Amino acid sequence: MNNNRINALNIDHLVDAKHGRITPSIYTDPEIYELELERIFGRCWLFLCHESHIPKAGDFFNTYMGEDPIIVIRQKDGSIKALLNQCRHRSMRVSYADCGNTRAFTCPYHGWSYGIDGALKDIPLEEIIYPHGACKDKWGLVEVARVEIYKGLIFGCWDENTPDLLNYMGDIAWYLDGVLDRREGGSEIVGGVHKWEIDCNWKFAAEQFASDQYHVLVSHASAVQVLGGKQDDASTNQLGDAQTARPVWETAKDNLQYGQQGHGSGFFFTEKPDANFWVDGEVANYFRETYEEAKNRLGEVRALRLAGHNTMFPTLSWLNGTATIRIWHPRGPNKTEVWAFCITDKAAPAHIKEAFERSASRAFGPAGFAEADDGENWIEIQKVLRGYKARQNKLIVEMGIGREKRREDGIPGITNHIFSETAARAMYRRWADLLIHEDWNDVENATAQYEKELVG
Ligand code: FES
Ligand SMILES: [Fe+2]
């Protein structure tokens, strides 16, 4: 998009992180969406799949970066490439299976055939249709510029100038380790991918997972009522202590929301290694049994951290304990395609991995008892914002403003009380800075300036 059009969108005025106000058009405007595809999905590190999806040469997994279809494929030398799933002849998709193993991708339209490295190998009737020779060496599948792996998670990035993955992640890596690094051997994805569509903008989902513990009290009230009284495993749960009927924010030792560089996380510091009522008994027992190992690797806070929410900007979210990790693929300003995986410790026995899968589906599968509550809210907001009058009213995102701090107990990043919107403000500020600035240095400087104003 050219600079005149970007300037006309006046992005800076749509997000007022200092005062906590968001202009609704950021969720509805097709031009803003187009700019997101270019400057956010075209430049940020995006989660592609897990190494456990593609262990052998020729193994591939089909996903998306924004709206671009991407084949992630293991090469003969063990390295990984990410290729645009677009035939160079007439843009047909060359790979259809969700995943599999192959020696070539042959386009179903006219039969051009590509190797697993993306090189164009064969053109049917080549001598007749290109008598002077085809530019086969120039017509390979387009390759994603950068692929990096963080503890089993494979990420792709189109932009050579984006900071490397670890710098891009910043402190969210510390929070993510609570899922990826509990036990020797790391993590693994079990089962398939739940895929479904929600009629809402992707930012509602990403923001809620970054920043919103507050909704749980009301949106998930029915699930809380049913599960909160359960006595068999966890006596402390995400919302209340079943034995004392006291809310968790009174019984927990502490709580936290983290928000920086667009990423966010939130959790209560409970004291029991099975304290998450969203999971079922077998999974709770497993957490109890593996607590010491996790504590040795991660320290007490993260070993005990079995509930809570997280987003790595822009569209990778996960929930500890319930072991759901998902991508919010954008599908226009008004639609999101959710891809939810179940992630477990690789060292867990097979029957426990199955228990994790059941547990994740029960709570956060497409028909899960908690999942449906969330989607309902986002869909209704999106509908409300179709109204002209409704779009004149800014969203209020000012919870906890001015109370951000850096902790002194080794927990990294800019933090606040769990019931705040620090992570939401950080996410929208980063979002705006990415749309406004063409140069990554300017993006990083703007983020640093915002953070300096918050905590000095
Ligand atoms: S579009 Fe692929 S071979 Fe023609
Ligand atoms: Fe929720």
Side-chain angles (χ1 to χ4, degrees):
M1 195 177 287
N2 71 42
N3 281 338
N4 288 343
R5 274 174 74 197
I6 294 173
N7 291 341
L9 289 170
N10 214 356
I11 303 287
D12 202 31
H13 288 80
L14 304 180
V15 172
D16 181 357
K18 243 180 231 165
H19 303 97
R21 291 292 183 276
I22 304 289
T23 302
S25 65
I26 74 163
Y27 305 108
T28 59
D29 185 332
E31 269 207 303
I32 289 178
Y33 179 74
E34 199 51 41
L35 189 57
E36 286 179 339
L37 292 185
E38 178 186 331
R39 291 215 162 156
I40 291 179
F41 295 96
R43 298 201 295 174
C44 290
W45 283 101
L46 302 172
F47 173 58
L48 302 175
C49 66
H50 193 282
E51 277 202 287
S52 57
H53 283 123
I54 50 168
K56 299 189 302 294
D59 284 352
F60 68 91
F61 183 91
N62 268 313
T63 185
Y64 291 87
M65 292 173 73
E67 299 242 31
D68 286 307
I70 300 292
I71 309 165
V72 192
I73 181 154
R74 179 82 65 178
Q75 302 297 298
K76 286 186 184 136
D77 65 359
S79 65
I80 292 166
K81 282 187 191 290
L83 306 166
L84 192 59
N85 191 355
Q86 176 195 32
C87 180
R88 294 297 303 278
H89 179 218
R90 293 300 190 89
S91 283
M92 182 61 173
R93 182 188 289 263
V94 298
S95 174
Y96 273 87
D98 290 341
C99 56
N101 184 279
T102 192
R103 279 184 290 185
F105 296 105
T106 302
C107 178
Y109 200 173
H110 312 95
W112 288 22
S113 184
Y114 302 85
I116 63 171
D117 59 354
L120 178 58
K121 298 273 198 252
D122 190 54
I123 298 178
L125 308 180
E126 184 179 345
E127 312 75 42
I128 299 173
I129 58 176
Y130 296 115
H132 304 299
C135 305
K136 278 207 290 213
D137 57 334
K138 292 205 184 83
W139 293 347
L141 299 177
V142 172
E143 189 175 343
V144 175
R146 297 161 75 191
V147 171
E148 284 190 33
I149 300 170
Y150 183 76
K151 298 193 178 180
L153 302 191
I154 305 167
F155 292 85
C157 175
W158 288 108
D159 189 348
E160 298 284 2
N161 297 313
T162 304
D164 65 30
L165 180 61
L166 277 182
N167 282 326
Y168 176 90
M169 292 176 84
D171 290 323
I172 196 67
W174 186 90
Y175 296 88
L176 182 53
D177 284 353
V179 169
L180 299 182
D181 209 6
R182 288 187 73 255
R183 298 194 64 192
E184 184 68 32
S187 65
E188 164 179 306
I189 299 280
V190 293
V193 193
H194 277 133
K195 301 177 180 180
W196 70 99
E197 287 185 342
I198 308 181
D199 289 330
C200 72
N201 187 276
W202 65 272
K203 293 190 288 302
F204 289 124
E207 181 221 304
Q208 184 182 288
F209 274 66
S211 186
D212 195 337
Q213 180 72 28
Y214 185 50
H215 80 282
V216 179
L217 323 180
V218 175
S219 291
H220 300 303
S222 55
V224 169
Q225 275 174 4
V226 173
L227 295 169
K230 192 169 70 164
Q231 301 280 340
D232 59 343
D233 43 53
S235 62
T236 306
N237 61 47
Q238 207 178 15
L239 276 184
D241 187 310
Q243 287 161 0
T244 64
R246 290 176 62 204
V248 68
W249 54 94
E250 288 180 12
T251 59
K253 269 203 303 199
D254 202 347
N255 64 77
L256 160 149
Q257 182 178 109
Y258 150 80
Q260 217 171 341
Q261 291 175 272
H263 318 309
S265 180
F267 63 105
F268 294 107
F269 295 17
T270 52
E271 289 184 299
K272 293 172 197 272
D274 54 5
N276 179 344
F277 82 164
W278 305 102
V279 305
D280 56 36
E282 235 178 333
V283 172
N285 286 340
Y286 172 76
F287 282 133
R288 204 176 296 131
E289 285 160 11
T290 55
Y291 170 67
E292 285 300 326
E293 183 179 346
K295 187 175 146 192
N296 287 338
R297 298 172 72 83
L298 300 168
E300 189 185 25
V301 168
R302 286 183 295 172
L304 285 170
R305 193 211 161 160
L306 293 167
H309 50 81
N310 315 262
T311 291
M312 174 177 155
F313 188 85
T315 44
L316 174 65
S317 294
W318 65 96
L319 300 173
N320 303 58
T322 29
T324 182
I325 184 164
R326 68 259 311 273
I327 315 170
W328 314 106
H329 291 301
R331 293 291 177 265
N334 305 312
K335 201 183 277 284
T336 300
E337 189 174 321
V338 188
W339 284 23
F341 309 81
C342 175
I343 190 163
T344 67
D345 301 327
K346 195 169 184 181
H351 72 282
I352 292 296
K353 288 177 182 168
E354 282 171 27
F356 263 98
E357 230 187 308
R358 282 196 305 276
S359 184
S361 296
R362 190 184 65 141
F364 289 100
F369 63 76
E371 186 71 47
D373 302 333
D374 294 319
E376 184 80 4
N377 290 326
W378 307 330
I379 291 166
E380 288 305 320
I381 297 169
Q382 198 75 40
K383 278 190 199 161
V384 169
L385 296 184
R386 287 166 65 175
Y388 172 78
K389 285 290 179 189
R391 262 179 289 149
Q392 310 313 307
N393 297 319
K394 296 189 178 191
L395 283 70
I396 302 166
V397 190
E398 65 172 58
M399 262 199 289
I401 222 160
R403 295 207 300 266
E404 283 82 5
K405 63 175 184 187
R406 290 190 189 278
R407 299 176 64 103
E408 286 166 7
D409 55 4
I411 295 173
I414 295 174
T415 63
N416 207 331
H417 192 283
I418 191 167
F419 295 131
S420 66
E421 287 164 336
T422 289
R425 289 188 290 276
M427 177 182 137
Y428 289 117
R429 194 56 253 166
R430 180 76 158 181
W431 172 89
D433 288 331
L434 275 159
L435 295 192
I436 293 165
H437 300 296
E438 199 173 354
D439 186 325
W440 262 101
N441 290 323
D442 294 335
V443 175
E444 296 293 15
N445 288 341
T447 299
Q449 180 61 31
Y450 174 65
E451 291 173 2
K452 194 168 162 214
E453 284 167 19
L454 285 184
V455 292

